[in-house]
Amino acid sequence: MKHNRRRKQSSLAGSVDERAEAGVSKRVGRLLGAGRKWEGVRMTEVAEAMLVTSGRGNMASFCRVVSFLPVILFVTNLFPSVLPAHIKKAMEETHETYNHYYNYQELTELLHALAEDHTDIARLSSLGHSVKGRELWVMRLTAEPDAVPADRPQFKYVGNMHGDETVSRQVLIYLIQHLVEGYGRDKRISLLLNTTDIYIMPSLNPDGFETAKEGDCRGERGGRENANDKDLNRSFPDQFSPGHQPDAKEVPETVAMIKWILENRFVLSGNLHGGSVVASYPYDDSLTHKPSGVYSKSSDDKVFQYLARAYSANHPIMKTGHPSCKGEEEEVFQDGITNGAQWYDVQGGMQDYNYIWGNCFEVTFELSCCKYPMASELHKEWENNRESLMKFMEMVHIGAKGFVKDSVTQKGLENATISVTGIDHNITSGKLGNFQRLLAPGKYEITASAIGYLPQTISDVEVKEGPATVLDFSLHPTVSITPSDGQETTDSPVSVTESSMETENRPPRPKTIQPRDFRHHHYPDMEIFLRRYNNEYPNITRLYSVGKSVESRELYVMEISDNPGLHEPGEPEFKYIGNMHGNEVVGRELLLNLIEYLCKNYGTDAEVTQLVDTTRIHIMPSMNPDGYEKSQEGDRDGVIGRNNSNNYDLNRNFPDQFFQITDPPQLETLAVMNWLKTYPFVLSANLHGGSLVVNYPYDDDEKGASMYSKSPDDTVFQQLALAYSKENKKMFKGSPCKEIYPQDNFPQGITNGANWYNVPGGMQDWNYLNTNCFEVTIELGCVKYPVASELPAYWESNQQSLISFIKQVHKGIKGFVLDATDGSSILNATISVADIDHTVTSDKAGDYWRLLVPGQYRVTASARGYMPVTKTVNVTEVDAVVLNFTLARSGADFHKEERGKVAVIESETPDPDTKEFEKLIKELSDENGMNRFLLSSSADIDLYRYRNYMDLSQSLRGLNLNYPLITNLASLGSSVEFRQIWSLEISNKPNRSEPEEPKIRFVAGVHGNAPVGTELLLTFAEFLCLNYKKNSAITKLIDRTRIVIVPLVNPDGRERAKEKECTSDVGQNNANGKDLDTDFISNSSGPVGEREKETNAIIEGLILKQDFTLSVVLDGGSVLVTYPYDNPVHTVDHKETLKHLATVYAMNHPRIHVGHPGCPNKTDENIPGGVICGAEWRGHQGSMKDFSVTHGHCPEITVYTSCCLFPSAAQLPLLWNENKKALFSMLVEVHKGVRGIVKDESGKPVPKATIILNEDVKVYTKEGGYFHVLLAPGFHNINAIAEGYQQQHTQVLVRHDAASPIEIIFNMDNRIFGLPRELVVTVAGATMSALLLTACIIWCVCSIKSNRHKDGFHRLRQHNDDYEDEIRLMSTGSKKSLLSNEFQDETDTEEETLYTSKH
């Protein structure tokens, strides 16, 4: 390299000398003509300046310019006061006084001078302009900057982001001078510039600097923000606040910086600030955006700490960890470093943006306590930071580096992905396949992968202190690829032969970035492709799987949206599905092309940007990945690979309206059906091959004949089909495959499905009939598996069709259905259109979409419990017409008329803490809420072993001892062999009655041979404790929930069970050989004494307390959830709610909801949604869940966590990850349903009142009059009964994302014998008066006749004793009869149930 450099200099000697002379002239001319005062110039100073400028050691140039000296000195003596001191000092060897701030003009002149004087290593450029038009200068420093090797890593420093934090600006100026002056003289500097491509930006905010004031240490005098008063370090896109994009008018500095980051491949960066003395590393903010105290850990946390320490350890103040800044003297940073968010939350910061979107590791350095110190302090600040600045630049060379090459051609592979096992952050290779992966010292497993190549993994890569470990990868191609040098942008269609695929006469379109990846993608290749685009475009993509194929391949979906992972109310959801038939591959490749096209053109192409911003697009490239792997390239019309691995045609496998489908539902079918029930899709297309046409429903008819089968929305489907076909010229002609199917003729390229040929069990009809989604099937070409060279033509012919079809999702009408009372959304409201026999329903947010062709319609919105509303609307050809509905509750008049009598009112406005908690429950109930919540958890647990009884007891005691303020450990009783059955309560007030809070229990170990549940609950308990006061969501849940965990009901059986015994029943029963889940018998079934000790402990210690809202039991032996009842002869009342609770768990579990446990010997078992009634699965009597519901008034579900009863401990981490989200979902669900309080007219609580819901769910109010019952979303009737009060009745709407609070006010019962009290009292009074009057009359008559009847009276007195005895006997008999009727034995002969039928 040195030899080549000398030879180049020799050959260009003349030009170099000329440049040197010119440099001297310019430099001296600038110094003499600067218009500033000079104190005098010594000859040595000018000579030195000329020597430096003419080139180090270039004496020939120096001698030629010496002749200028007399002239220079003469002029200098004539004008002794022209040159200022700081410019004079610049001509000396140190040429810097370190006591002057450079303003914008001076900075500009200095940087230009340095760049011109050091052309061999320096290049000056501008990123753009500030708000006030100032240049954003960047100095690039590297050896031979015009011929930098591609593998030279890029480093950058950015200063003065906050205009009033000025030390950073000055030290970067000094650093530039230090580097240019030291190059060629200082070995360290020379080595750094010869091996590093360095970029230094002294000021990102020149406008702010110009307004800041020297001496302003605390930033109180302005200048921090840019000229638009925008904080540049709060204006970058943020991972935890998606959707924010900087405005070029507001923050042009940020926009310029983002563009610069994305256009380069920076490896390492430092962002220099002021206000403290510390190194701060990502992440700068957290999901909760708590102001401080949240350690927001990045995937490369270890690396960032290593980098931050490299700077702090070389800074005399920073390394102490005690900045001692004024007003913050107690602030301490261990080792002088801190996690950004733990220090304070910075949303929209630059360092996180670099790491997440720029593949660049950036650390923020706070250089001084005073933001804008006096200039006299600058020399000290430079000395403090000089070594740190140098050391940090050298860190760009740590870790692992090398090349990724094609093993055949030995060419470097650009954009290959470099991944490190255990670190969820990848980087990509450069143009020549070069990569530099920063890593802290240690051993790693590193993988290189690229599209179209087999990945290569190198294990035990040792990274040491100092220079990076060299690591080269040689990847083998998976397919034969024809090299192409074509550009990404195309101006004309590609000329190919496939079925003509003509594109001539197409209207010109604006130039867009076109896909380049035209080849057949096998599954590994497709998987890497999807991961790559998700990694490169994380702000608009989300990669997820809806399930697995028969051969366990993921059914991937790429979501593309401006807010991926989130359903935005009012934004429609669209989907494309390809490769349903494995050998029909064009759809698969077109959808991959579409992903690439949308990603690359988002933000630059108006059409694509608008589409992505207003639509949530889901793309499934392959529904049948197993079949694809069996099919063969070149297959024109074959069937190999068409079906799935079980040899079933997936497009004949869906339930059908006309025929019974006898084939068993396939995994792929079930996964897609579940997917369609999860998302509110509006429009869809299913991409096939074998012809060239769009076919629409129905696909079959009741006769099974090939005839037109018209759907209610036939005109809508024709419009949708035409939207696609008219953009594809050959398809629109309607005669596509004459050589293969000469009889086929499709006017305008569309056809009714059944009119073409009958397809029972098709997917498109199932979409239309069972969801809100309109789907068509698109046949893309006559050849099912064309050769790869023809793929570009397919894209050219279908590109605009694919885009145009997505746009159709915005046709018709759309809007919201809201509650007129409180404006809340109404879920599952029905939208019907007059004369069209097909309805759609509203989603969770109350939003709906209804596709319609232009015309006038009468549209009705209705919902259970509401009065329907009908409106007339004119639909046009442009975007959907907004049509909102506000529905009044059908019980509204009832409330108005009976107010004060019924006295059922909504609860008072909750306090701020309650409102905040309700907001949390809603957020966690969002589609992606639980995922965000788990990501924000600051601590997790490595689950690696099973715990026997002794270890379990010690673990529980440890939790209680370590977290005494939130835990209470108690024994419910003992087992047959005298082992304790432990119960751990977790609450902010453990062991204290809080009747207003819901109480949930988690139970495991009923069967001792299924200990997975025990380990999950122990881990769950520790996870809750670890995150209390660390994670705000967990803290709030614990503060407002009483959580009881019983990890092991059958400790004796657990001690006998053996690991890896998947089907053994050893340990299933207790020490007496009794299956405890058959031992929960009711009183009427036998004496209580006959129950086992463990059973009695659970019954007496938990169930009969009747204060639990929900119970979740973990068991093993399958992967599903059961709900009551297990008893086959028991009628399941209120099945809707019980099934809903089980479904909540299943939907938050990655495998259960698929509905295919896949257990050995039951591989074909199909459990729709993963949820089933216990009696339908394994019915038996005496189960704990039945007893809980019947006698504990608490719904209970049983979760089966794994097919293997006692799997290897190695599977525990996977099982924890699978169940963690679902367990937390139960903590959220227990806060829903109906939460109420019952009072009398004076406000006194009414305990033990009976609350009957829907005439079959009965609960009782607790102390304080509280009650809480879980119910499925929808309307429910409530009857409240209490002795001495009037019965109350009302209706309540239960929401899916919040509890419905109600307050019931009882009036005293004013009725006697069913009659008004006033009437009864009046009648009674009148009756008594009449009786008294009658008695008086009789007495008077008797007195008058007493003398006449003296003898008779005497006889009466003689028989008085007999008479009294008779009266006494009669009275006694009457009382006895009354008692027998009033207190007769009411003991039920059957079990009392919570869910009692009221017929």
Side-chain angles (χ1 to χ4, degrees):
M1 188 60 154
K2 290 182 179 179
H3 173 71
N4 291 339
R5 187 173 177 183
R6 288 196 191 100
R7 186 171 60 186
K8 180 177 180 182
Q9 288 174 340
S10 176
S11 64
L12 299 175
S15 60
V16 170
D17 291 343
E18 292 170 5
R19 287 199 301 273
E21 294 176 24
V24 173
S25 301
K26 288 180 181 178
R27 181 166 184 139
V28 175
R30 276 196 306 274
L31 296 179
L32 295 177
R36 302 185 181 95
K37 292 182 178 181
W38 283 50
E39 296 175 352
V41 181
R42 296 193 304 272
M43 181 175 178
T44 54
E45 295 169 355
V46 180
E48 174 64 22
M50 292 189 294
L51 179 59
V52 170
T53 309
S54 61
R56 298 167 184 81
N58 191 340
M59 293 305 299
S61 298
F62 174 72
C63 291
R64 275 195 293 271
V65 300
V66 163
S67 58
F68 286 107
L69 284 175
V71 177
I72 294 170
L73 293 177
F74 174 73
V75 175
T76 301
N77 290 327
L78 285 178
F79 305 101
S81 61
V82 174
L83 300 179
H86 70 277
I87 297 297
K88 172 187 171 185
K89 286 290 185 181
M91 296 177 61
E92 298 180 1
E93 185 161 350
T94 56
H95 68 83
E96 180 59 66
T97 61
Y98 305 105
N99 61 2
H100 169 76
Y101 282 104
Y102 289 83
N103 62 26
Y104 173 74
Q105 186 62 36
E106 292 170 334
L107 173 66
T108 300
E109 292 176 2
L110 177 64
L111 294 178
H112 275 94
L114 291 172
E116 292 176 13
D117 293 346
H118 301 278
T119 56
D120 55 338
I121 59 170
R123 293 289 183 273
L124 182 64
S125 62
S126 172
L127 300 189
H129 296 87
S130 67
V131 173
K132 293 192 173 181
R134 293 183 173 95
E135 301 284 355
L136 304 176
W137 295 119
V138 175
M139 181 69 85
R140 183 186 186 189
L141 299 174
T142 189
E144 298 180 348
D146 295 327
V148 175
D151 62 338
R152 188 176 293 176
Q154 290 182 308
F155 175 94
K156 65 180 169 72
Y157 272 132
V158 178
N160 201 209
M161 188 178 199
H162 291 144
D164 62 341
E165 298 171 10
T166 59
V167 171
S168 61
R169 177 186 176 109
Q170 286 304 123
V171 298
L172 290 183
I173 294 172
Y174 303 154
L175 179 63
I176 294 171
Q177 294 173 328
H178 181 64
L179 293 175
V180 298
E181 290 174 358
Y183 184 69
R185 300 178 181 180
D186 183 289
K187 290 183 179 180
R188 183 185 186 188
I189 293 175
S190 299
L191 177 62
L192 184 64
L193 294 183
N194 286 336
T195 59
T196 319
D197 197 4
I198 301 171
Y199 296 78
I200 300 176
M201 172 183 272
S203 181
L204 179 59
N205 186 4
D207 296 349
F209 175 81
E210 296 299 317
T211 61
K213 305 299 181 183
E214 186 174 347
D216 181 10
C217 287
R218 301 178 65 86
E220 298 170 342
R221 297 162 66 183
R224 174 186 175 90
E225 289 82 14
N226 73 350
N228 284 329
D229 290 327
K230 300 296 181 183
D231 189 328
L232 300 183
N233 207 31
R234 306 295 190 279
S235 62
F236 284 79
D238 189 89
Q239 62 175 328
F240 299 117
S241 303
H244 170 71
Q245 293 295 327
D247 186 341
K249 294 181 180 178
E250 294 287 330
V251 282
E253 302 90 347
T254 301
V255 173
M257 176 59 69
I258 288 175
K259 184 173 183 290
W260 188 43
I261 292 170
L262 297 180
E263 288 177 349
N264 287 275
R265 287 183 176 272
F266 293 112
V267 177
L268 181 60
S269 174
N271 181 11
L272 276 51
H273 283 251
S276 187
V277 185
V278 67
S280 168
Y281 54 87
Y283 289 128
D284 247 345
D285 66 340
S286 68
L287 181 64
T288 61
H289 291 303
K290 187 178 178 181
S292 65
V294 177
Y295 195 111
S296 189
K297 189 175 182 180
S298 74
S299 299
D300 279 290
D301 190 68
K302 182 180 178 182
V303 182
F304 276 116
Q305 290 189 45
Y306 186 61
L307 293 169
R309 285 193 181 95
Y311 196 102
S312 67
N314 290 281
H315 192 289
I317 299 175
M318 196 179 293
K319 67 182 179 182
T320 68
H322 296 268
S324 298
C325 297
K326 186 177 181 180
E328 297 174 344
E329 289 82 3
E330 302 302 319
E331 196 165 43
V332 177
F333 304 104
Q334 186 175 354
D335 296 333
I337 68 173
T338 181
N339 173 264
Q342 189 175 40
W343 187 19
Y344 63 94
D345 194 87
V346 176
Q347 185 176 346
M350 184 167 70
Q351 75 173 6
D352 287 5
Y353 181 85
N354 270 271
Y355 177 64
I356 296 167
W357 283 285
N359 269 334
C360 175
F361 288 59
E362 181 169 281
V363 181
T364 301
F365 301 110
E366 305 282 341
L367 303 183
S368 61
C369 290
C370 182
K371 294 188 175 186
Y372 199 155
M374 300 304 292
S376 58
E377 298 291 316
L378 290 176
H379 188 268
K380 180 183 70 174
E381 296 298 346
W382 166 239
E383 291 301 323
N384 286 344
N385 287 280
R386 178 169 55 185
E387 178 57 29
S388 294
L389 290 166
M390 291 293 296
K391 180 62 178 178
F392 190 70
M393 287 190 290
E394 292 168 339
M395 296 298 286
V396 77
H397 294 283
I398 67 168
K401 70 175 184 178
F403 288 86
V404 183
K405 295 182 179 180
D406 185 308
S407 63
V408 178
T409 65
Q410 291 302 306
K411 290 183 177 180
L413 298 177
E414 185 179 5
N415 286 325
T417 298
I418 308 299
S419 55
V420 181
T421 302
I423 300 179
D424 188 21
H425 183 80
N426 302 331
I427 64 166
T428 55
S429 59
K431 292 181 179 179
L432 299 182
N434 54 291
F435 71 91
Q436 179 95 32
R437 210 311 177 180
L438 300 183
L439 292 168
K443 285 193 174 182
Y444 299 92
E445 182 179 77
I446 303 177
T447 300
S449 57
I451 295 174
Y453 294 85
L454 295 174
Q456 180 186 357
T457 300
I458 301 178
S459 301
D460 295 324
V461 178
E462 186 174 5
V463 173
K464 300 180 180 180
E465 295 274 358
T469 301
V470 177
L471 204 64
D472 291 331
F473 293 89
S474 184
L475 305 188
H476 298 279
T478 58
V479 294
S480 177
I481 304 173
T482 303
S484 172
D485 295 321
Q487 299 297 313
E488 283 194 333
T489 57
T490 60
D491 297 310
S492 59
V494 182
S495 177
V496 292
T497 59
E498 199 294 319
S499 304
S500 299
M501 288 295 166
E502 298 148 345
T503 58
E504 62 269 21
N505 299 322
R506 180 180 296 281
R509 295 193 303 271
K511 183 181 291 187
T512 54
I513 301 174
Q514 294 295 318
R516 301 177 63 184
D517 203 357
F518 293 111
R519 66 174 183 280
H520 290 297
H521 293 74
H522 285 267
Y523 180 77
D525 194 5
M526 179 185 75
E527 190 173 42
I528 293 171
F529 175 97
L530 294 171
R531 287 175 179 166
R532 170 193 167 193
Y533 276 89
N534 180 224
N535 181 61
E536 291 183 3
Y537 299 91
N539 56 329
I540 60 167
T541 66
R542 177 175 71 105
L543 182 62
Y544 65 98
S545 171
V546 303
K548 294 181 183 292
S549 67
V550 174
E551 295 181 5
S552 296
R553 292 182 174 92
E554 300 287 351
L555 302 179
Y556 282 117
V557 176
M558 181 71 90
E559 177 192 337
I560 301 179
S561 169
D562 61 336
N563 285 300
L566 178 69
H567 172 72
E568 298 179 71
E571 183 171 283
E573 308 220 10
F574 174 94
K575 64 181 168 72
Y576 271 131
I577 298 179
N579 202 209
M580 187 182 198
H581 291 145
N583 66 332
E584 298 171 12
V585 304
V586 174
R588 175 185 178 119
E589 300 307 327
L590 284 180
L591 292 183
L592 294 178
N593 295 150
L594 181 62
I595 290 170
E596 183 179 355
Y597 178 79
L598 293 175
C599 288
K600 287 185 174 180
N601 287 284
Y602 179 75
T604 58
D605 179 76
E607 181 181 51
V608 170
T609 304
Q610 173 73 8
L611 203 58
V612 173
D613 284 347
T614 59
T615 322
R616 192 181 185 193
I617 303 167
H618 303 254
I619 299 175
M620 177 185 280
S622 181
M623 183 179 166
N624 185 5
D626 297 349
Y628 177 89
E629 298 303 317
K630 296 177 176 64
S631 53
Q632 300 293 324
E633 187 172 352
D635 178 11
R636 292 179 62 84
D637 56 359
V639 294
I640 297 175
R642 173 186 176 91
N643 297 343
N644 76 341
S645 279
N646 289 334
N647 201 28
Y648 289 106
D649 187 330
L650 298 181
N651 207 32
R652 307 295 189 279
N653 197 236
F654 285 78
D656 191 86
Q657 62 176 325
F658 300 120
F659 296 96
Q660 180 68 37
I661 303 301
T662 58
D663 291 343
Q666 295 302 292
L667 278 180
E668 298 89 346
T669 308
L670 293 170
V672 169
M673 290 169 65
N674 185 64
W675 180 40
L676 302 186
K677 291 289 189 180
T678 304
Y679 293 86
F681 292 116
V682 179
L683 180 59
S684 171
N686 180 12
L687 307 187
H688 283 248
S691 188
L692 193 62
V693 66
V694 182
N695 92 73
Y696 52 88
Y698 291 129
D699 251 344
D700 65 342
D701 60 38
E702 57 187 351
K703 297 180 180 179
S706 294
M707 56 187 297
Y708 203 109
S709 185
K710 189 175 182 179
S711 75
D713 280 290
D714 191 65
T715 55
V716 177
F717 277 115
Q718 289 186 42
Q719 174 179 275
L720 295 171
L722 279 170
Y724 194 99
S725 69
K726 69 182 181 182
E727 298 293 340
N728 185 315
K729 187 172 182 179
K730 183 166 186 182
M731 182 185 287
F732 193 71
K733 287 181 178 179
S735 302
C737 309
K738 289 298 183 185
E739 296 180 0
I740 307 175
Y741 308 111
Q743 75 281 5
D744 281 353
N745 180 43
F746 308 115
Q748 297 184 315
I750 67 173
T751 182
N752 174 263
N755 198 42
W756 184 17
Y757 62 94
N758 207 269
V759 178
M763 183 165 69
Q764 74 174 10
D765 287 6
W766 191 89
N767 268 265
Y768 179 64
L769 295 168
N770 294 278
T771 74
N772 291 331
C773 185
F774 286 51
E775 181 171 279
V776 300
T777 302
I778 302 172
E779 305 282 343
L780 295 166
C782 303
V783 178
K784 294 185 176 182
Y785 200 147
V787 295
S789 61
E790 296 178 349
L791 292 177
Y794 281 96
W795 169 251
E796 182 63 28
S797 296
N798 288 278
Q799 170 191 341
Q800 196 55 39
S801 293
L802 291 165
I803 297 296
S804 177
F805 188 73
I806 299 176
K807 291 180 179 180
Q808 301 307 301
V809 78
H810 295 282
K811 303 294 184 182
I813 60 174
K814 66 178 182 180
F816 290 83
V817 185
L818 304 175
D819 187 308
T821 304
D822 58 9
S824 60
S825 58
I826 300 177
L827 172 66
N828 287 327
T830 300
I831 308 300
S832 56
V833 181
D835 302 323
I836 300 179
D837 187 19
H838 182 79
T839 61
V840 298
T841 56
S842 60
D843 194 45
K844 295 175 183 178
D847 44 354
Y848 77 90
W849 303 263
R850 213 309 177 181
L851 302 179
L852 292 167
V853 298
Q856 188 178 78
Y857 299 91
R858 284 179 55 78
V859 184
T860 300
S862 58
R864 178 183 172 186
Y866 289 92
M867 299 295 291
V869 173
T870 300
K871 295 184 178 182
T872 300
V873 61
N874 286 308
V875 175
T876 64
E877 293 183 358
V878 294
D879 288 345
V881 177
V882 176
L883 190 65
N884 295 324
F885 292 91
T886 302
L887 306 187
R889 297 181 184 180
S890 56
D893 293 338
F894 160 80
H895 285 284
K896 291 177 183 177
E897 296 171 4
E898 301 294 329
R899 196 177 303 276
K901 295 181 180 180
V902 178
V904 180
I905 61 174
E906 294 184 357
S907 61
E908 297 176 357
T909 302
D911 60 83
D913 289 342
T914 300
K915 294 184 74 172
E916 186 178 351
F917 184 73
E918 290 173 351
K919 180 182 177 182
L920 171 67
I921 296 300
K922 287 186 177 183
E923 290 174 351
L924 294 177
S925 300
D926 283 347
E927 181 182 313
N928 210 31
M930 289 299 298
N931 290 331
R932 293 194 299 270
F933 157 67
L934 291 175
L935 285 173
S936 70
S937 301
S938 58
D940 207 344
I941 301 163
D942 293 327
L943 186 58
Y944 62 93
R945 67 182 179 93
Y946 286 102
R947 281 162 276 201
N948 59 24
Y949 170 76
M950 187 61 67
D951 288 342
L952 176 144
S953 299
Q954 291 174 353
S955 295
L956 291 172
R957 289 192 189 101
L959 284 175
N960 185 222
L961 291 172
N962 281 280
Y963 302 97
L965 298 180
I966 60 168
T967 64
N968 180 65
L969 183 62
S971 173
L972 300 176
S974 63
S975 66
V976 173
E977 295 179 346
F978 301 101
R979 294 181 176 93
Q980 298 301 311
I981 300 172
W982 295 112
S983 168
L984 181 73
E985 180 181 351
I986 301 176
S987 170
N988 66 332
K989 297 176 182 177
N991 205 30
R992 288 173 58 182
S993 176
E994 294 181 277
E996 72 277 10
E997 292 184 358
K999 190 174 181 181
I1000 182 172
R1001 67 174 180 259
F1002 295 91
V1003 181
V1006 177
H1007 295 133
N1009 63 337
V1012 169
T1014 297
E1015 298 304 325
L1016 293 180
L1017 291 189
L1018 289 172
T1019 306
F1020 185 48
E1022 186 176 356
F1023 187 86
L1024 290 172
C1025 293
L1026 276 173
N1027 283 281
Y1028 186 70
K1029 297 300 183 183
K1030 303 285 186 183
N1031 178 283
S1032 62
I1034 290 178
T1035 302
K1036 291 172 184 175
L1037 285 170
I1038 290 176
D1039 285 347
R1040 290 180 173 265
T1041 321
R1042 297 182 65 195
I1043 306 165
V1044 175
I1045 294 177
V1046 182
L1048 186 56
V1049 176
N1050 183 5
D1052 299 347
R1054 168 65 183 86
E1055 293 299 294
R1056 294 172 173 78
K1058 300 296 182 183
E1059 187 175 346
K1060 300 181 182 179
E1061 293 290 337
C1062 288
T1063 58
S1064 173
D1065 58 4
V1066 175
Q1068 173 179 303
N1069 301 337
N1070 74 343
N1072 288 333
K1074 181 69 175 182
D1075 183 340
L1076 296 180
D1077 203 40
T1078 64
D1079 192 46
F1080 288 82
I1081 53 177
S1082 65
N1083 293 348
S1084 60
S1085 301
V1088 173
E1090 293 181 6
R1091 295 196 194 112
E1092 297 296 317
K1093 291 179 67 177
E1094 299 90 343
T1095 309
N1096 281 328
I1098 298 299
I1099 289 176
E1100 295 169 8
L1102 295 179
I1103 296 176
L1104 291 185
K1105 289 188 175 181
Q1106 298 184 350
D1107 59 351
F1108 285 95
T1109 310
L1110 176 62
S1111 176
V1112 180
V1113 179
L1114 304 187
D1115 207 338
S1118 190
V1119 186
L1120 51 85
V1121 187
T1122 64
Y1123 57 88
Y1125 286 89
D1126 286 324
N1127 189 341
V1129 299
H1130 205 301
T1131 302
V1132 182
D1133 294 315
H1134 210 59
K1135 177 179 179 180
E1136 183 181 3
T1137 291
L1138 297 171
K1139 186 175 181 180
H1140 167 74
L1141 295 171
T1143 301
V1144 170
Y1145 195 102
M1147 290 304 296
N1148 284 283
H1149 190 286
R1151 290 195 294 143
I1152 290 179
H1153 75 275
V1154 175
H1156 187 83
C1159 298
N1161 303 322
K1162 290 187 178 181
T1163 55
D1164 294 332
E1165 187 175 33
N1166 175 36
I1167 309 294
V1171 170
I1172 190 171
C1173 176
E1176 295 177 27
W1177 189 55
R1178 294 177 183 172
H1180 62 283
Q1181 295 183 343
S1183 76
M1184 184 164 67
K1185 75 158 66 76
D1186 289 6
F1187 195 93
S1188 174
V1189 170
T1190 302
H1191 298 285
H1193 302 159
C1194 172
E1196 181 171 290
I1197 62 172
T1198 303
V1199 179
Y1200 294 85
T1201 58
S1202 65
C1203 292
C1204 181
L1205 290 168
F1206 202 150
S1208 166
Q1211 295 185 36
L1212 289 176
L1214 172 64
L1215 292 168
W1216 166 240
N1217 285 327
E1218 286 183 341
N1219 287 276
K1220 178 164 59 173
K1221 177 181 175 183
L1223 289 168
F1224 277 106
S1225 71
M1226 294 291 99
L1227 285 184
V1228 175
E1229 192 64 27
V1230 79
H1231 287 278
K1232 300 178 185 178
V1234 176
R1235 183 182 70 244
I1237 185 170
V1238 179
K1239 301 177 182 178
D1240 63 18
E1241 291 175 300
S1242 67
K1244 181 181 179 182
V1246 181
K1248 299 182 180 180
T1250 303
I1251 307 297
I1252 302 173
L1253 298 105
N1254 300 323
E1255 299 184 355
D1256 53 17
V1257 178
K1258 182 187 296 183
V1259 296
Y1260 300 95
T1261 56
K1262 305 175 188 176
E1263 177 187 352
Y1266 296 102
F1267 71 92
H1268 191 159
V1269 61
L1270 300 180
L1271 295 167
F1275 277 95
H1276 299 271
N1277 294 314
I1278 294 181
N1279 285 294
I1281 304 172
E1283 185 177 355
Y1285 297 97
Q1286 292 182 11
Q1287 179 175 335
Q1288 305 297 320
H1289 171 77
T1290 190
Q1291 190 178 66
V1292 63
L1293 172 64
V1294 174
R1295 300 169 56 84
H1296 75 282
D1297 59 357
S1300 298
I1302 64 170
E1303 188 176 63
I1304 299 176
I1305 307 297
F1306 270 128
N1307 293 328
M1308 293 296 294
D1309 193 351
N1310 289 321
R1311 305 180 74 83
I1312 301 175
F1313 303 120
L1315 298 173
R1317 179 182 295 270
E1318 294 81 358
L1319 176 61
V1320 173
V1321 171
T1322 302
V1323 172
T1327 302
M1328 291 299 296
S1329 298
L1331 288 173
L1332 288 173
L1333 180 60
T1334 302
C1336 290
I1337 294 173
I1338 294 174
W1339 182 78
C1340 291
V1341 172
C1342 290
S1343 296
I1344 294 171
K1345 296 182 178 181
S1346 61
N1347 293 330
R1348 194 186 313 169
H1349 298 285
K1350 192 175 285 186
D1351 292 341
F1353 184 76
H1354 179 71
R1355 284 195 299 272
L1356 178 63
R1357 188 171 58 185
Q1358 285 181 331
H1359 297 285
N1360 185 53
D1361 293 340
D1362 294 336
Y1363 176 77
E1364 287 181 355
D1365 289 342
E1366 182 178 350
I1367 294 298
R1368 191 180 297 111
L1369 286 172
M1370 291 176 63
S1371 175
T1372 302
S1374 176
K1375 291 180 180 178
K1376 186 174 183 180
S1377 175
L1378 177 63
L1379 285 171
S1380 66
N1381 289 330
E1382 182 68 19
F1383 297 101
Q1384 62 181 344
D1385 186 5
E1386 294 183 351
T1387 303
D1388 290 341
T1389 57
E1390 297 182 5
E1391 296 180 352
E1392 296 176 7
T1393 68
L1394 170 62
Y1395 302 97
T1396 305
S1397 299
K1398 303 286 183 180
H1399 297 298

